[in-house]
Amino acid sequence: MNIQWYPGHMAKTRRMIQENLKLVDMVIELVDSRLPLSSRNPDIDNILGSKPRLLIMNKCDLADPAVNAAWVQWFHDNGINILLVDSITGKGFNDIHNVSRQILKEKIEKEKSKGIVNRAIKLMVVGIPNVGKSSFINKFAGKASAKTGDRPGVTRGKQWIRLKNGYELLDTPGILWPKFEDPEVGKKLAYTGAIKDEIIDIEELTCSLLEFLRDYYPEKLKARYKLDNIAELKGFELLQNIGKNRGCIVAGGDVDTFRTAGIILDEFRGAKIGNISLEKPEGLC
């Protein structure tokens, strides 16, 4: 499975980010905690250059807590400012203010020496589709300021959002990159919904996901779908067994694998199978 997706508005977003960097003090880059490397646009380092940055691992409550901790340590060891947050519960949001001001401490002190105090900190929020940017902004703002949606590609244009807590945020649409050099990256993004299901063979995708869960989270997979002895089963066999257990049967007694695949993807994305990470610091899964 070789997944590519780069709508035209994403090329426009790249130019928009580059043109507006000079207007902000710092960039908040959101990634998905379940795949912190694969959900980072590799072009973003070149786009942002030396602009101060805070990396936020969003959706941390969907990922494996032990793997989250390992990623935090890995990013710290690589000199990257990092926070774990969940935009639904608000977990981790209390730390954003202090960390942001610490990152900008030198600039804030320089402005104070010139008599400039209490100026709103201007932030740009960037990230690939479906990492939860709009939900993050709404939680940060304490109100429904940005459009939200559970499908990639909801935010299409630049919008400034004034907050009560001394910040102004510049939201941007999600930006992928023209070609995934590693096909595994495309698959992982598709697992989480960062790429539209409509352009993917979801049965093939789900078979691949099931084989990943079989290898790395077998107990969670067995518990959720009441399975036994899965070690030797291929993805399609797992898909059929789950379909039977869930009653996804069509005329003639065959399993409706398309419907079953949709159920599994929805349950994975909602963490109903469990808290699962798709990659670890010591190497991509």
Side-chain angles (χ1 to χ4, degrees):
M1 179 178 290
N2 188 11
I3 299 169
Q4 302 294 335
W5 187 51
Y6 195 71
H9 77 274
M10 291 187 181
K12 181 179 178 182
T13 299
R14 180 189 178 107
R15 294 192 296 271
M16 182 193 304
I17 290 173
Q18 292 172 319
E19 292 167 0
N20 288 282
L21 267 179
K22 60 182 179 294
L23 303 178
V24 302
D25 302 303
M26 189 180 82
V27 173
I28 290 180
E29 179 190 0
L30 261 64
V31 297
D32 189 320
S33 292
R34 295 168 293 182
L35 57 165
L37 289 188
S38 293
S39 59
R40 293 190 80 196
N41 187 330
D43 293 342
I44 205 72
D45 288 334
N46 291 330
I47 295 171
L48 299 183
S50 60
K51 180 67 67 173
R53 191 185 332 176
L54 172 60
L55 184 70
I56 287 185
M57 287 173 54
N58 195 25
K59 304 185 180 184
C60 66
D61 284 6
L62 301 181
D64 186 327
V67 179
N68 279 346
W71 274 117
V72 168
Q73 186 61 53
W74 186 88
F75 282 116
H76 277 310
D77 292 345
N78 284 275
I80 298 173
N81 299 299
I82 178 77
L83 283 177
L84 284 172
V85 309
D86 181 76
S87 296
I88 305 302
T89 65
K91 179 179 179 179
F93 273 75
N94 290 338
D95 298 322
I96 295 174
H97 180 78
N98 291 335
V99 173
S100 298
R101 291 189 174 275
Q102 185 61 37
I103 293 171
L104 296 172
K105 182 178 179 181
E106 185 176 337
K107 182 171 186 175
I108 292 172
E109 291 298 325
K110 186 178 293 186
E111 289 184 346
K112 279 185 179 180
S113 69
K114 297 179 181 179
I116 303 172
V117 295
N118 298 324
R119 179 181 66 82
I121 293 176
K122 291 183 169 60
L123 304 172
M124 179 186 288
V125 181
V126 301
I128 70 166
N130 215 40
V131 293
K133 292 188 305 301
S134 295
S135 296
F136 168 82
I137 290 169
N138 290 341
K139 179 62 71 172
F140 196 33
K143 58 183 179 180
S145 303
K147 297 177 182 178
T148 61
D150 61 1
R151 293 294 183 187
V154 170
T155 306
R156 288 301 183 94
K158 177 179 72 176
Q159 54 181 341
W160 279 101
I161 300 163
R162 187 180 300 274
L163 310 182
K164 295 179 181 179
N165 52 3
Y167 294 94
E168 290 183 7
L169 275 81
L170 177 63
D171 186 24
T172 61
I175 176 173
L176 283 172
W177 46 105
K179 182 179 181 181
F180 303 130
E181 299 298 332
D182 183 352
E184 289 299 310
V185 170
K187 282 201 298 186
K188 290 174 186 176
L189 290 170
Y191 293 158
T192 64
I195 297 173
K196 291 181 178 179
D197 289 339
E198 290 80 1
I199 68 168
I200 299 168
D201 182 332
I202 68 165
E203 290 163 285
E204 183 180 353
L205 181 71
T206 303
C207 288
S208 176
L209 173 61
L210 288 171
E211 290 182 358
F212 171 87
L213 296 173
R214 176 202 64 198
D215 294 341
Y216 293 95
Y217 293 93
E219 297 308 315
K220 292 182 185 293
L221 181 62
K222 289 192 291 185
R224 179 65 187 176
Y225 298 113
K226 298 178 173 58
L227 300 171
D228 294 306
N229 304 319
I230 65 173
E232 303 299 324
L233 296 181
K234 301 295 185 181
F236 190 70
E237 293 172 311
L238 290 166
L239 182 64
Q240 287 187 310
N241 287 345
I242 293 170
K244 291 176 184 176
N245 291 348
R246 286 295 180 90
C248 298
I249 306 298
V250 295
D254 293 330
V255 173
D256 186 341
T257 52
F258 183 82
R259 180 185 168 202
T260 306
I263 290 171
I264 294 168
L265 285 176
D266 284 344
E267 293 189 351
F268 167 76
R269 293 166 183 170
K272 293 181 180 178
I273 300 174
N275 300 96
I276 293 165
S277 294
L278 295 170
E279 56 194 24
K280 297 183 285 189
E282 56 266 32
L284 300 182
C285 296

